[in-house]
Amino acid sequence: MSLIEKIPFLSDEEVINLLANARRLKDAGDDKQRAAATDLIPALEGAAAERRALRMAAAQAKRAARRPRPKAAA
C-alpha cells in the first residue's frame, strides 16, 4: 500500500505533520525525496483542506445548536 493510499486512515495531526515534512523535503531533500514529496503534496493538501472544512462545519453546527431559538409570536 502506497503512502497516498494510507492518507484516509491517518489522523488529522498525522496528515498535517506529513504535509509539513513533504514540503520540507521538497526544498531540502535529495532527488528521490523531492520527487516523492512532489507527488505526495497535492494529495496531502487536499486531505488537509477536506478535514479542515469538516471540522469547521462541525463547529458551526455546534454553535448553531447552542444559539437560543427565537420565541414565536403569540
Side-chain angles (χ1 to χ4, degrees):
M1 178 181 273
S2 73
L3 194 52
I4 291 176
E5 294 170 337
K6 292 180 182 180
I7 291 173
F9 304 106
L10 298 175
S11 70
D12 293 350
E13 184 177 323
E14 290 170 325
V15 169
I16 292 169
N17 188 27
L18 191 56
L19 179 57
N21 287 338
R23 286 177 175 158
R24 179 182 52 80
L25 287 174
K26 183 180 172 197
D27 296 332
D30 60 27
D31 291 340
K32 185 176 178 181
Q33 290 171 329
R34 286 180 185 174
T38 300
D39 292 340
L40 192 58
I41 287 174
L44 288 169
E45 287 176 339
E50 182 179 320
R51 291 168 186 227
R52 187 177 321 113
L54 288 173
R55 282 193 313 271
M56 292 183 76
Q60 185 177 17
K62 186 176 179 179
R63 283 192 304 272
R66 285 197 267 170
R67 281 190 209 124
R69 294 186 177 153
K71 296 183 181 185

